[in-house]
Amino acid sequence: MKNKATATFALGALLTLCLAVPAYAETQDAVEAPPVYQAATPEAAGKDEPFSCYTYDDFDQELQGYWSEEQGIWYLFETSTQAVEETELYYTGDIEAVSAGTLDAGNQVVTGAFQERGDRVELTDADGTVYTVVVLQSDLPSVYITLNGTTLEQIHADKDAKYPGNSVTIMDPSGNYNLNVEGNVEMKGRGNTTWRCYEKKGYQIKFDKKTDVFGMGKAKKWVLLANAGDDSMMRTQLVYQMADNLEMDFVPSFEYVDLWISGEYRGTYMLGEKVEPGSSRLDLSEDAGAIFEHDGAFYAEEEHWFYSAMLEREFALKEINNEDEAVIESAMADFEAAVDELAVYLYSTPSYEVTLEELSTMIDVDSFAKYFLVNEYAMNRESFYTSFYWYKDGPGDVLHLGPIWDFDTCMGNNGSTYTDSYGQNHVLFQYLLAAPAFYERTQELLALYWDDFTSMTDNVDVLATQLETSAEMNYLRWDVLGKPNPKGGTDFHNTYEEAVTAVKDWLSGREEGFHVTRSTVVTSEISDDCYEMTVTFQDGEPHQQIRFGVWSLEDGQDDLAWYTASQDKNGAWSCTVDLSQHNRAGRYFIHAYEQQQPDCSWPQLRRHGP
């Protein structure tokens, strides 16, 4: 009599992987610097008071001028609801003449100097030094955060420190989503790799009460994504727009904005929904309804996490409805048991015997299939290593994959080509995609939503038009184009236009050649007395003969034994392993080999374990 493998022996069915986010580097020819305008430095030699400039928006919020050392020009980045022709240009220094507008030297202000975006004015001081100021403005909504009692430097010093009492103003050109919240907004940093690698950082804001932002629904917490690792700044939005059409339970919504913090322009951001339970977000109803992150990188930074021996990866608790410690402990135990149950079923059941009916008692099958397809299509190599979210709405629920998250490193900027595959390297999807029932379901969903996947190619042009002016402002503020990406992968492109073209070209190629390959695995069953292990391999291909090499991990291959398999009427090759010749407990490597004629060699078909 045989039973499904216990947790101890199911480890023998787990493929060993070394999952890491690869860092790639490409060399490029030196980039020729743009022409430098003949303008003064911000601190003219010998001046007691250096030149600077600023203006105010419609809410009397200061907008500081930005000095571009690369171009030798001062820029005024104005909020999108501001009338350019009404700009009052304030300055410090001894200015005697201006090339446009009216100079009020007593109040140190120039009016009427600008009529439209891109206009420039030259200010000449008493020594003949000329300062050039250019005004720029995009059509995106503007977000202005006023820090009270803290500084940006303090926030950047500790990502997790929370600073209350700040103000947020959202200025929407359409007038539909204007928002002004004063003195009760908490602010903190957010992000992991992005926070460590880039000067342009992400943030989280938290209102003191649930607040609707851009019609996305009411919630307290909102995130500002920097997209610092994506020179096109559109990969994440492209995927979210596509995935929203796949009817996944919750896909975060985002709106592009220009961001200022206490007068300093910070660039193009995406303001949107945090991955968390909530009636307007991932609607989990139970106290123990929780979101977990399958994470091999940053799990130790979380307060609650556990190591899954079955998947050989850590899971961190990210969000839970009820933060009572007893509820957390119960939810984590329930979630871990559910993961183990799924792994035991997959590791111990021959692939052709895995059914959607049985899987559905453990997982939301379509959420697993859709999560795989979305991340695999975009070649998001981080998705199966970190930012890999799972959720479960209490003990009565099955496991779900999602919400999807983190697409700034994908679609080729991590070094991948549009013909690559990645997701099935994860042991979970190796076993799922080896099962014909699950594989066929992914094919059905891919066909059903194929037009939504391919829509990303056309949406590149739509987003590029939307972002064009804001991107110009962003890359004046952050001089990174043409330089290596600090996170690794391909270098940033020389221009924003090149970055956009690269995304579109990659997606066009992906559209032509994307397919999902069915994987093959070795499965095992353990007898009740733990003296025998039945090993099975089936890949649907004809083979002359199959042999299995089996050894215990603890013995370092000292107990290696060979077993000749026999084939049943369904084409499955299997053998019985005498565990008394090994350790009877622990973890095992199992390698499947086939005999080839005429040289009788035995090439390896599949490795399995520990």
Side-chain angles (χ1 to χ4, degrees), residues 112-126:
F114 308 110
Q115 299 303 312
E116 59 185 18
R117 307 168 186 182
D119 281 355
R120 66 178 58 204
V121 60
E122 294 179 346
L123 296 81
T124 305
D125 69 9

Side-chain angles (χ1 to χ4, degrees), residues 366-386:
D366 281 4
S367 79
F368 276 63
K370 290 176 182 179
Y371 186 95
F372 171 80
L373 289 171
V374 168
N375 285 279
E376 181 69 2
Y377 192 89
M379 269 305 295
N380 185 9
R381 288 181 171 176
E382 294 186 4
S383 63
F384 303 104
Y385 180 70
T386 187

Side-chain angles (χ1 to χ4, degrees), residues 431-451:
Y431 278 83
L432 285 172
L433 290 170
F438 183 85
Y439 174 78
E440 289 165 8
R441 183 56 182 157
T442 65
Q443 299 298 93
E444 291 171 0
L445 291 172
L446 184 61
L448 179 64
Y449 295 108
W450 180 247
D451 288 345

Side-chain angles (χ1 to χ4, degrees), residues 376-436:
E376 181 69 2
Y377 192 89
M379 269 305 295
N380 185 9
R381 288 181 171 176
E382 294 186 4
S383 63
F384 303 104
Y385 180 70
T386 187
S387 299
F388 185 178
Y389 289 118
W390 302 45
Y391 64 93
K392 193 172 188 292
D393 196 6
D397 194 19
V398 297
L399 294 168
H400 307 257
L401 285 195
I404 59 170
W405 189 256
D406 198 2
F407 289 87
D408 60 340
T409 305
C410 68
M411 300 182 196
N413 68 347
N414 54 10
S416 63
T417 70
Y418 54 75
T419 60
D420 286 345
S421 61
Y422 180 71
Q424 55 263 58
N425 292 334
H426 190 287
V427 63
L428 172 69
F429 285 107
Q430 280 187 350
Y431 278 83
L432 285 172
L433 290 170

Side-chain angles (χ1 to χ4, degrees), residues 66 77 136 138 140 200 225-228 230-233 257-259 265-269 467-481 496:
Y66 176 75
F77 301 123
L136 290 177
S138 86
L140 297 182
K200 184 187 180 188
L225 298 183
N227 285 317
D230 173 11
D231 52 5
S232 76
M233 298 188 290
V257 300
D258 288 307
L259 175 65
Y265 178 66
R266 300 296 296 176
T268 310
Y269 277 73
L467 291 174
E468 183 178 10
T469 305
S470 182
E472 177 187 1
M473 294 162 57
N474 181 85
Y475 288 118
L476 284 168
R477 173 63 182 86
W478 303 105
D479 182 23
V480 298
L481 293 179
Y496 182 68

Side-chain angles (χ1 to χ4, degrees), residues 407-599:
F407 289 87
D408 60 340
T409 305
C410 68
M411 300 182 196
N413 68 347
N414 54 10
S416 63
T417 70
Y418 54 75
T419 60
D420 286 345
S421 61
Y422 180 71
Q424 55 263 58
N425 292 334
H426 190 287
V427 63
L428 172 69
F429 285 107
Q430 280 187 350
Y431 278 83
L432 285 172
L433 290 170
F438 183 85
Y439 174 78
E440 289 165 8
R441 183 56 182 157
T442 65
Q443 299 298 93
E444 291 171 0
L445 291 172
L446 184 61
L448 179 64
Y449 295 108
W450 180 247
D451 288 345
D452 298 303
F453 283 95
T454 60
S455 68
M456 286 193 288
T457 308
D458 294 331
N459 287 344
V460 169
D461 292 332
V462 176
L463 291 184
T465 300
Q466 180 184 358
L467 291 174
E468 183 178 10
T469 305
S470 182
E472 177 187 1
M473 294 162 57
N474 181 85
Y475 288 118
L476 284 168
R477 173 63 182 86
W478 303 105
D479 182 23
V480 298
L481 293 179
K483 298 177 181 178
N485 188 332
K487 189 177 178 178
T490 58
D491 290 351
F492 291 128
H493 290 84
N494 295 327
T495 66
Y496 182 68
E497 290 73 18
E498 289 179 12
V500 171
T501 298
V503 174
K504 188 170 185 179
D505 288 348
W506 193 95
L507 284 171
S508 296
R510 195 63 163 171
E511 181 178 335
E512 291 296 321
F514 181 71
H515 66 280
V516 178
T517 303
R518 194 170 74 83
S519 57
T520 57
V521 294
V522 178
T523 57
S524 61
E525 282 184 309
I526 311 301
S527 63
D528 286 335
D529 59 11
C530 295
Y531 275 98
E532 290 184 343
M533 175 169 64
T534 301
V535 179
T536 303
F537 172 79
Q538 187 172 11
D539 63 356
E541 299 295 329
H543 300 291
Q544 183 110 11
Q545 184 62 62
I546 297 291
R547 289 202 304 169
F548 294 105
V550 180
W551 68 93
S552 167
L553 180 64
E554 283 72 14
D555 285 343
Q557 209 168 353
D558 289 346
D559 63 334
L560 171 64
W562 290 95
Y563 301 86
T564 300
S566 59
Q567 190 176 29
D568 65 19
K569 62 181 181 180
N570 295 317
W573 295 86
S574 62
C575 71
T576 300
V577 176
D578 182 359
L579 291 176
S580 66
Q581 303 300 312
H582 301 277
N583 277 334
R584 289 190 60 210
R587 302 194 293 175
Y588 290 84
F589 278 109
I590 305 169
H591 288 200
Y593 295 83
E594 71 168 340
Q595 184 181 31
Q596 288 186 344
Q597 298 291 343
D599 60 1

